[in-house]
Amino acid sequence: AADAEYLLRDVLRGEWGFTGAVMSDWFGLNSTVEGMNAGLDLEMPGPTIHRGEKLLAAVRDGGQAGRPGRGR
């Protein structure tokens, strides 16, 4: 669910009005771009696997790096 945009944005934040931080399960995030687009705030545990350099690369590549089968 860490990269499920429908669940995090539409249901949790939209329908339920949740305004707190959303944290992944331990090693529950499996993406870079999808997790960010879904609204995940914190990848656990640290140090991150799918954020940091992978996130910077995705921003530089217009969102392609970090997607399965593309980029890094």
Side-chain angles (χ1 to χ4, degrees), residues 35-62:
M36 287 300 297
N37 288 341
L40 184 73
D41 297 307
L42 180 62
E43 177 186 359
M44 294 302 289
T48 66
I49 296 170
H50 299 285
R51 303 267 174 116
E53 287 301 318
K54 287 185 179 182
L55 180 56
L56 292 174
V59 170
R60 283 192 295 266
D61 295 343

Side-chain angles (χ1 to χ4, degrees), residues 2-3 24-25 27-32 35 40 43-44 50-51:
D3 55 9
S24 73
D25 282 337
F27 304 106
L29 182 62
N30 296 306
S31 67
T32 298
L40 184 73
E43 177 186 359
M44 294 302 289
H50 299 285
R51 303 267 174 116

Side-chain angles (χ1 to χ4, degrees), residues 4-41:
E5 189 169 350
Y6 170 73
L7 293 176
L8 296 183
R9 286 197 177 198
D10 297 345
V11 177
L12 183 65
R13 295 200 189 274
E15 292 179 27
W16 297 353
F18 182 75
T19 59
V22 177
M23 172 177 62
S24 73
D25 282 337
W26 254 232
F27 304 106
L29 182 62
N30 296 306
S31 67
T32 298
V33 174
E34 290 82 355
M36 287 300 297
N37 288 341
L40 184 73
D41 297 307

